[in-house]
Amino acid sequence: MSDDAEQDCKCPPGIPAWMATFADLMSLLMCFFVLLLSFSEMDVLKFKQLAGSMREAFGVQNQIKVDDIPRGTSVIAQEFSPGRPEPTPLNEVRQMTINNDLNTLDVRSKEGEQYIPDALKGSLEALRRQLEKEAEMEAVEFAASLSQEIGEGAVEVETDGARIIIRVKEKGSFDSGSAELKFDSIPVLAKIRDVLLTVDGQVSIQGHTDNVPYSGTRFESNWDLSAARALAVAHEMFADPRMDQSRFTVSGFADTHALVPNDTPDNRARNRRVEIVIQKGRQSEALEQIQARPDNDTEGRGLAPDEIF
């Protein structure tokens, strides 16, 4: 081609078409190598911190083995702190007399009026406080053994003076209108039974319902249903031959001992329950016996110490 022909040739304006494809290819290659570089320089410390933050955010739990059971002073607290046990002195009731033949405490005045000596009152009050402390410590053992069930809302543990109340709710224990224990509730009652074997005191198993009338055919009323549920729990307690059945009483109360008013579905569900009540000591019964002495008791018989303690 001559020089004149080259001068007459007119190229289209702008960059050649192949430059656009080349620029795209270079951009993709640059991004690819930048990503490779970023992946090859991972900070392990920052990754562990990120993993720990995600673990706490999503509630991943760690199982920690301990050598001793948790201890605490409140059964309401979800966490327990260990405490140092201290010995508690035994309370004694003493009476000075010149008659060595007397083996009872005189709790009656000369006029026959009933009264309780100040020394006896003080001893009963000290014994009551000691039993309340024992009930709190043993309630902590129940709460520690049933921590998972308490967290799920299936069981409640509380104290009322010298009484320990374990409240097994209908949820997860019985079907509506039924007195047959669910299979999932058997391990829960087994945990309660294991702790009961190590706890002293009289045990009362009480069944409760709401105020909705029973509409089935197996039971006559809520009284039958509450008593049958309490009896089903008692039979599960008696499955262990080591359990002393003479400690137990079984009763049904229907809706007469409601925890909350039966005005909402949630309240009615809370009232449907079986309570296992452990009574510590007999000082309240002894006090009632003292106050119930007849006025015409001319023999002046006192109350023996073994009747109180």
Side-chain angles (χ1 to χ4, degrees), residues 134-265:
E134 292 179 2
E136 290 180 358
M137 294 179 61
E138 292 173 354
V140 170
E141 295 183 13
F142 279 105
S145 178
L146 301 170
S147 59
Q148 179 179 355
E149 289 76 13
I150 293 175
E152 295 174 354
V155 178
E156 294 179 356
V157 179
E158 65 180 29
T159 57
D160 181 12
R163 297 193 309 162
I164 305 172
I165 303 175
I166 305 171
R167 190 170 294 118
V168 181
K169 299 183 180 180
E170 182 193 49
K171 174 185 177 183
S173 300
F174 299 95
D175 290 326
S176 179
S178 173
E180 295 183 1
L181 285 168
K182 291 184 177 180
F183 181 77
D184 294 340
S185 64
I186 303 301
V188 180
L189 297 178
K191 293 180 181 179
I192 299 175
R193 182 178 59 224
D194 292 340
V195 182
L196 277 178
L197 290 172
T198 62
V199 173
D200 297 329
Q202 296 297 316
V203 183
S204 176
I205 302 179
Q206 305 171 0
H208 302 270
T209 64
D210 56 18
N211 63 344
V212 178
Y214 177 74
S215 58
T217 58
R218 182 175 180 181
F219 303 103
E220 293 292 334
S221 63
N222 282 336
W223 288 97
D224 293 345
L225 177 60
S226 61
R229 287 182 171 180
L231 189 59
V233 174
H235 283 315
E236 188 60 33
M237 295 292 106
F238 301 154
D240 193 326
R242 296 175 298 172
M243 191 68 70
D244 184 8
Q245 299 185 19
S246 62
R247 299 170 51 195
F248 287 78
T249 58
V250 181
S251 55
F253 292 94
D255 62 332
T256 58
H257 289 66
L259 293 175
V260 291
N262 289 289
D263 51 3
T264 63

Side-chain angles (χ1 to χ4, degrees), residues 249-297:
T249 58
V250 181
S251 55
F253 292 94
D255 62 332
T256 58
H257 289 66
L259 293 175
V260 291
N262 289 289
D263 51 3
T264 63
D266 292 339
N267 286 352
R268 286 192 292 271
R270 186 180 179 188
N271 288 329
R272 296 191 297 269
R273 69 200 187 277
V274 174
E275 292 183 348
I276 303 175
V277 182
I278 302 100
Q279 177 67 52
K280 304 292 295 181
R282 296 183 299 168
Q283 82 285 0
S284 58
E285 299 177 1
L287 184 59
E288 293 177 358
Q289 293 179 11
I290 294 174
Q291 296 175 344
R293 297 294 185 189
D295 294 337
N296 57 0
D297 185 6

